[in-house]
């Protein structure tokens, strides 16, 4: 449960999580979705250390720096962890970036992250107390339902920074009033500012908005917005789609209802606008990536039922929901037109430059695939070919 998704160029990378409460997906499971070809490929990364092969995580956070995917913290079959792995997206080789226990944040999951000046920032999460770990600043609030457990857990509002070049964590001080401890919140970075919305604190699912100013290490405190406001929620997505807009989708309400609403926040005007979304596709604990090359937000996976209703089986999703929030490139529009009219134009494809012909040929290969052996350890490709489809499915659900 709790997979991660990141975008790098035209690709969306999917990793980690588990299919049910017992089966965690380990480091040898990774999928790549090409947003232009609408093509899924299963890849086999190399794991150089035997102890790493046992790791499977949910509720992790991830970023990409210089073609390396970093996966931070999470929850595993061992409980909460504070590990950090790196995957070279060119060589598909995993490495573990070890630091001593006193130099790391406390083990946690359901945190959020972003990149600034080639350093990784993480904020908040749910996990073990801060004591005994990196603990210069930050507040921890214990979940009373775990007090009598061997390892009590709770929420924190700690801001930590990892420098990949030094392989070292820090817990810098900051100015202003930070958000209260929380988990299952979401963040989006625009320029030198990071906006954090919602999340769970104790029994409350919140609707507050905060901004962290990276250039001066300062929190804004709770921001006042205009217009209608989204309901308080956790397990939602919050994705930057331009220099001044952030796209909010789905989540889980105070009344434990999965959401299918979509909003846009104008960060300059601090104004919310609700979008008219056709159909009803609730999602919580999903992922979202903005693919600038096609002008789309891709919502992948997650749960569409009440995840806390343990008397019913979770309804998981293996679909991509596509929201067109930008203008595709001219090349993308032209190729879509040429492919849509392939019955007439295919005989002339050989006259196109090689890189354009290659894209059309790959798209044609995907469209002609009628059956794929997903159980194979080799690469797999989906048979979705319509450029205007709203849903693209993986073979099994992710949460």
């Amino acid at each position: 449960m709790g997979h991660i998704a990141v975008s790098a160029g035209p690709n969306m990378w999917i990793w980690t999580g588990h299919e049910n409460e017992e089966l965690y997906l380990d480091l040898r499971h990774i999928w790549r979705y090409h947003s232009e070809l609408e093509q899924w490929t299963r890849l086999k990364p190399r794991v150089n250390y035997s102890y790493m092969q046992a790791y499977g995580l949910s509720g992790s956070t991830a970023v990409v720096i210089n073609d390396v995917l970093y996966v931070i913290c999470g929850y595993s079959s061992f409980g909460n962890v504070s590990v950090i792995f790196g995957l070279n997206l060119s060589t598909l080789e995993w490495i573990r970036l070890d630091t001593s226990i006193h130099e790391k944040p406390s083990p946690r999951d359901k945190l959020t992250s972003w990149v600034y000046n080639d350093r990784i920032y993480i904020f908040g999460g749910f996990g073990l107390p801060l004591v005994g770990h990196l603990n210069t600043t930050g507040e921890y609030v214990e979940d009373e339902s775990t007090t009598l457990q061997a390892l009590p857990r709770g929420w924190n509002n700690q801001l930590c920074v990892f420098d990949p070049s030094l392989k070292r964590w820090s817990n810098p001080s900051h100015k202003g009033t930070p958000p209260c401890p929380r988990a299952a919140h979401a963040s989006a970075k625009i320029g030198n500012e990071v906006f954090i919305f919602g999340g769970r604190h104790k029994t409350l699912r919140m609707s507050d908005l905060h901004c962290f100013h990276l250039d001066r290490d300062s929190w804004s405190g709770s921001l006042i917005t205009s217009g209608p406001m989204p309901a308080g929620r956790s397990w939602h997505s919050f994705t930057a789609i331009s220099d001044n807009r952030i796209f909010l989708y789905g989540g889980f309400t105070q009344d434990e209802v999965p959401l299918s609403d979509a909003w846009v926040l104008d960060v300059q005007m601090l104004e919310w606008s609700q979008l008219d979304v056709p159909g009803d596709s609730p999602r919580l604990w999903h992922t979202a990536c903005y693919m600038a090359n096609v002008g789309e937000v891709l919502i992948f996976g997650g749960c569409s039922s009440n995840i806390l209703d343990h008397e019913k089986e979770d309804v998981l999703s293996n679909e991509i929901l596509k929201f067109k929030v930008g203008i595709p490139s001219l090349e993308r529009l032209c190729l879509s037109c040429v492919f849509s009219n392939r019955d007439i134009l295919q005989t002339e494809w050989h006259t196109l430059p090689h890189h354009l012909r290659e894209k059309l040929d790959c798209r044609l290969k995907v469209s002609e695939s009628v059956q794929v052996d997903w159980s194979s350890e080799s690469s797999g490709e989906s048979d979705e070919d319509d450029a205007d489809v709203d849903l693209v499915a993986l073979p099994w659900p992710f949460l």
Side-chain angles (χ1 to χ4, degrees):
M1 297 176 73
H3 61 283
I4 59 97
V6 296
S7 61
N11 295 312
M12 176 175 67
W13 296 81
I14 302 290
W15 180 77
T16 192
H18 56 80
E19 297 178 63
N20 54 53
E21 293 185 359
E22 298 179 355
L23 180 58
Y24 283 82
L25 303 176
D26 64 26
L27 296 174
R28 293 164 292 186
H29 293 77
I30 190 164
W31 292 85
R32 182 181 65 198
Y33 177 75
H34 195 291
S35 58
E36 294 179 0
L37 301 177
E38 296 177 326
Q39 176 188 37
W40 283 107
T41 305
R42 184 180 183 179
L43 300 169
K44 290 184 62 178
R46 290 193 295 274
V47 182
N48 292 332
Y49 307 100
S50 59
Y51 68 87
M52 289 176 61
Q53 296 188 17
Y55 267 95
L57 299 172
S58 70
S60 302
T61 188
V63 297
V64 174
I65 304 176
N66 298 328
D67 211 33
V68 175
L69 165 65
Y70 293 90
V71 181
I72 308 105
C73 295
Y75 192 87
S76 74
S77 56
F78 313 113
N80 280 117
V81 293
S82 55
V83 296
I84 178 167
F85 295 113
L87 173 66
N88 187 308
L89 296 179
S90 297
T91 64
L92 291 181
E93 179 177 333
W94 282 106
I95 56 173
R96 181 174 177 177
L97 305 170
D98 286 299
T99 55
S100 72
I101 187 171
H102 296 294
E103 295 176 316
K104 295 190 293 186
S106 61
R108 63 191 68 180
D109 66 339
K110 305 180 190 72
L111 64 162
T112 189
S113 63
W114 59 87
V115 174
Y116 181 67
N117 288 341
D118 286 340
R119 297 190 301 166
I120 302 168
Y121 288 68
I122 64 171
F123 175 76
F126 185 81
L128 301 187
L130 306 183
V131 175
H133 303 277
L134 196 61
N135 189 24
T136 305
T137 64
E139 180 184 356
Y140 169 84
V141 176
E142 188 167 283
D143 181 353
E144 294 179 357
S145 68
T146 70
T147 299
L148 298 180
Q149 296 179 5
L151 294 174
R153 299 194 296 157
W155 300 268
N156 74 77
N157 67 349
Q158 192 177 51
L159 181 69
C160 296
V161 182
F162 182 76
D163 188 330
S165 64
L166 301 176
K167 298 183 180 180
R168 182 178 301 171
W169 283 101
S170 62
N171 178 208
S173 59
H174 48 73
K175 309 180 202 63
T177 303
C180 65
R182 64 190 62 207
H185 50 290
S187 65
K189 174 177 169 289
I190 293 181
N192 293 332
E193 297 178 327
V194 174
F195 293 86
I196 291 176
F197 177 75
R200 179 178 172 179
H201 172 76
K202 296 185 177 180
T203 60
L204 180 64
R205 292 182 174 87
M206 299 171 291
S207 61
D208 55 341
L209 178 70
H210 297 257
C211 178
F212 185 67
H213 302 278
L214 291 160
D215 53 350
R216 55 181 187 268
D217 293 325
S218 177
W219 286 104
S220 65
S222 185
L223 296 171
I224 298 175
T225 60
S226 59
M229 270 191 66
R233 65 192 67 199
S234 59
W235 282 322
H236 50 285
S237 58
F238 199 48
T239 311
I241 57 175
S242 73
D243 292 338
N244 68 320
R245 295 186 301 156
I246 301 174
F247 180 80
L248 168 69
Y249 187 77
F252 198 52
T253 71
Q254 183 69 27
D255 298 325
E256 300 182 356
V257 176
L259 290 165
S260 60
D261 57 341
W263 299 73
V264 170
L265 173 68
D266 185 319
V267 300
Q268 294 178 350
M269 303 296 293
L270 288 180
E271 182 176 12
W272 288 101
S273 300
Q274 186 170 8
L275 304 181
D276 184 13
V277 179
D280 183 28
S281 299
R283 292 288 185 275
L284 63 95
W285 214 356
H286 54 281
T287 53
C289 291
Y290 176 57
M291 312 303 295
N293 59 311
V294 292
E296 296 174 343
V297 173
L298 305 184
I299 304 291
F300 175 70
C303 180
S304 60
S305 60
N306 183 349
I307 196 174
L308 300 182
D309 186 351
H310 301 299
E311 295 183 357
K312 297 181 181 179
E313 187 175 349
D314 293 331
V315 180
L316 309 185
S317 171
N318 64 349
E319 297 173 338
I320 291 179
L321 306 178
K322 296 184 178 182
F323 290 86
K324 296 185 184 297
V325 296
I327 301 175
S329 67
L330 181 59
E331 178 184 294
R332 162 76 170 179
L333 292 172
C334 292
L335 287 176
S336 294
C337 181
V338 170
F339 186 81
S340 298
N341 294 279
R342 57 189 179 277
D343 291 344
I344 302 172
L345 300 175
Q346 189 172 353
T347 57
E348 303 299 322
W349 286 7
H350 69 280
T351 64
L352 294 172
H354 175 74
H355 72 286
L356 297 179
R357 188 171 66 252
E358 187 176 51
K359 290 183 178 181
L360 289 169
D361 289 341
C362 287
R363 185 71 179 278
L364 183 63
K365 181 181 178 181
V366 173
S367 70
E368 293 177 344
S369 299
V370 293
Q371 185 175 357
V372 178
D373 181 9
W374 292 102
S375 62
S376 170
E377 289 297 318
S378 62
S379 296
E381 298 172 350
S382 77
D383 60 356
E384 300 289 345
D385 66 305
D386 188 348
D388 296 322
V389 296
D390 295 318
L391 304 176
V392 179
L394 256 180
W396 56 68
F398 274 63
L399 180 61

